[in-house]
Amino acid sequence: VPRNYDPALHPFEVAREYTRALNATKLERVFAKPFLSSLDGHRDGVNCMAKHPKSLSTVLSGACDGEVKIWNLTRRQCIRTIQAHEGFVRGMCARFCGTSFFTVGDDKTVKQWKMESPEYGEEEEPIHTILGKTVYTGIDHHWKEPVFATCGHQVDIWDEQRTTPKCSLTWGFDSISSVKFNPIETYLLGSCASDRNIVLYDMRKSTPLKKVILNMRTNTLCWNPMEAFIFTAANEDYNLYTFDMRFLESPVMVHMDHVSAVLDVDYSPTGKEFVSASFDKSIRIFPVDKGHSREVYHTKRMQHVITVKWTSDNKYILCGSDEMNIRLWKANASEKLGVLAPREKAAMNYNQKLKEKFQFHPQIRRIAQHRHLPKSIYCQIKEQRIMREARRRKELNRRKHSKPGSMPFVPERKKHIVAVVK
């Protein structure tokens, strides 16, 4: 064994680093306390949320009783309440300049509201009200122009100054549950219909571009804010699918971890991760390029999570659920909040690098990946695993006992796609 007698070099460098990495991983799990606070005040389930484009501390939420609240996150309290609609608030979005916001509800109206509270003695009234012919199920605003899109029976593109839509886009005859503008290629829209389609539209041509049909219905989609062509769809079959809109034949990645329908998805501003809300009473954080979640958040009281948002400073996650609460979480569970001393920062970076270096070591990997799950989710995960194994075994047996080449191999990514129509 060659031996270097230089006293400056430590003979057990890797062993030391491994011990440090192990301690860092254990401490990360000890300090993982992601839940910060809950914003309560709604009198019905929280159905939708919107971020303020200019102010980090402002967030808007709409409930199932037609009430809209504006929250201040630094003070963690409600600063304004509006009785906006009769029935559900189906969707809301803020204007790109942050001066006003739009809401749509079950009463077939689209309303535009001022972001500021009314002056003393002034009535709480919308700036504009548009009365539609059908119920609107979602709304999204263009990122640069005074144009917004609503969906319901069809996708309508509206100019803010007019009370009739500029153009109506339709392909098929089913109700459309959500519509989203692309933040980079701002004239592109994506929408999800309840006949299992994800349809892409181009606003300049005022025609649909193409659509992909999946096995089950997609609830909503979210565009990646950093890569123009990438979007992620939250599906009823417990999975999320990340697509490249140029190649819809198969998704770039299938994200499987939830054990019930995925209801909402939102990207982090870096475009490297996204957060998903599910009917199984938990939210999960997925890296874009990984099939399994990095983190799962749940509390005993949290019921079905309907809406989720990742704040624009990449630090926090907000989720709105059935039992009338909005919860505030840290995006990085063990992160220390507040000002860090230079030594703390250096130590944190060093520990991070050590964890990356030894991340595949079995002991460290086991500690880093362990999460406590509610019993219901834990049992369902086990059940899903057994079902997947059974399906695989059945397929292998079929292949074994049939003519060679008569049963083609279908990769996991293509299993869930029915067709692509252009």
Side-chain angles (χ1 to χ4, degrees), residues 211-400:
K211 69 176 174 182
V212 55
I213 307 168
L214 284 89
N215 272 333
M216 286 177 88
R217 191 179 83 219
T218 301
N219 286 316
T220 180
L221 60 88
C222 187
W223 294 94
N224 190 325
M226 287 293 161
E227 298 183 64
F229 300 110
I230 305 291
F231 65 90
T232 296
N235 204 285
E236 283 280 317
D237 64 0
Y238 316 168
N239 299 340
L240 294 115
Y241 301 100
T242 298
F243 283 97
D244 186 324
M245 66 169 277
R246 298 164 295 181
F247 317 108
L248 290 174
E249 285 73 27
S250 82
V252 182
M253 186 53 81
V254 180
H255 310 273
M256 323 168 91
D257 255 344
H258 282 295
V259 292
S260 192
V262 190
L263 299 180
D264 200 11
V265 57
D266 192 38
Y267 263 93
S268 77
T270 56
K272 291 213 165 54
E273 294 181 318
F274 60 85
V275 60
S276 63
S278 168
F279 202 73
D280 63 14
K281 308 177 189 177
S282 68
I283 59 174
R284 286 180 182 267
I285 302 172
F286 289 88
V288 174
D289 52 352
K290 300 274 193 307
H292 291 286
S293 62
R294 144 179 100 76
E295 200 63 81
V296 54
Y297 294 160
H298 54 86
T299 67
K300 273 186 182 166
R301 292 182 181 184
M302 188 155 76
Q303 292 303 309
H304 313 303
V305 194
I306 298 170
T307 172
V308 71
K309 284 276 177 273
W310 198 308
T311 57
S312 307
D313 61 349
N314 199 26
K315 275 204 184 313
Y316 306 103
I317 288 166
L318 289 148
C319 71
S321 50
D322 251 358
E323 79 320 323
M324 310 183 276
N325 274 3
I326 297 168
R327 287 182 174 77
L328 183 64
W329 308 83
K330 287 193 274 193
N332 184 1
S334 56
E335 183 181 26
K336 186 186 172 198
L337 298 178
V339 183
L340 291 179
R343 281 182 65 177
E344 278 183 306
K345 216 174 265 182
M348 201 178 71
N349 292 338
Y350 177 57
N351 284 343
Q352 191 56 41
K353 275 281 170 264
L354 283 179
K355 282 185 289 199
E356 277 171 30
K357 182 176 175 181
F358 290 96
Q359 64 185 339
F360 297 113
H361 195 282
Q363 187 78 339
I364 285 176
R365 189 169 162 191
R366 183 182 64 81
I367 295 166
Q369 287 188 348
H370 177 76
R371 294 290 178 279
H372 174 75
L373 289 169
K375 193 174 178 184
S376 57
I377 296 180
Y378 182 74
C379 293
Q380 273 176 292
I381 287 175
K382 235 153 80 174
E383 202 175 293
Q384 299 280 338
R385 193 180 298 131
I386 292 165
M387 283 155 71
R388 262 202 309 274
E389 285 299 314
R391 277 199 293 269
R392 219 183 93 243
R393 223 170 27 246
K394 193 171 182 180
E395 197 182 332
L396 285 172
N397 287 342
R398 274 212 185 119
R399 192 167 282 120
K400 205 191 293 177

Side-chain angles (χ1 to χ4, degrees), residues 40-60:
D40 44 356
H42 275 296
R43 290 170 302 185
D44 210 333
V46 182
N47 198 42
C48 53
M49 285 196 294
K51 291 184 282 196
H52 192 293
K54 297 285 169 74
S55 154
L56 282 176
S57 60
T58 311
V59 71
L60 313 142

Side-chain angles (χ1 to χ4, degrees), residues 27-203:
L27 282 174
E28 182 192 41
R29 297 314 313 142
V30 168
F31 290 125
K33 294 188 170 51
F35 180 70
L36 291 173
S37 80
S38 102
L39 312 171
D40 44 356
H42 275 296
R43 290 170 302 185
D44 210 333
V46 182
N47 198 42
C48 53
M49 285 196 294
K51 291 184 282 196
H52 192 293
K54 297 285 169 74
S55 154
L56 282 176
S57 60
T58 311
V59 71
L60 313 142
S61 66
C64 297
D65 58 356
E67 201 174 54
V68 169
K69 281 184 182 285
I70 301 179
W71 304 87
N72 184 326
L73 292 182
T74 37
R75 299 211 304 270
R76 295 182 192 173
Q77 67 191 55
C78 173
I79 45 179
R80 186 167 158 219
T81 305
I82 308 164
Q83 186 58 46
H85 295 276
E86 305 284 323
F88 282 47
V89 180
R90 285 291 172 191
M92 58 197 312
C93 65
R95 200 173 183 275
F96 58 89
C97 61
T99 53
S100 62
F101 64 94
F102 295 83
T103 61
V104 292
D106 275 356
D107 51 5
K108 302 183 184 177
T109 57
V110 181
K111 294 185 181 179
Q112 183 181 4
W113 306 83
K114 270 195 187 135
M115 197 66 85
E116 276 80 43
S117 304
E119 301 294 323
Y120 179 71
E122 202 182 334
E123 287 290 312
E124 182 77 88
E125 281 181 341
I127 309 171
H128 296 304
T129 303
I130 300 168
L131 199 62
K133 293 186 177 70
T134 56
V135 174
Y136 297 113
T137 53
I139 185 168
D140 198 31
H141 201 285
H142 194 283
W143 290 77
K144 288 177 182 159
E145 291 167 21
V147 172
F148 63 92
T150 60
C151 63
H153 184 56
Q154 60 198 17
V155 173
D156 293 326
I157 311 288
W158 305 75
D159 196 306
E160 279 180 18
Q161 308 304 324
R162 292 167 58 181
T163 54
T164 50
K166 277 205 308 186
C167 67
S168 295
L169 308 163
T170 175
W171 190 355
F173 298 99
D174 232 21
S175 60
I176 295 159
S177 56
S178 86
V179 61
K180 289 282 162 69
F181 274 101
N182 192 320
I184 304 167
E185 303 287 351
T186 49
Y187 42 78
L188 288 178
L189 297 108
S191 76
C192 315
S194 51
D195 54 358
R196 305 175 306 166
N197 294 344
I198 299 172
V199 191
L200 302 174
Y201 306 95
D202 191 333
M203 212 169 70

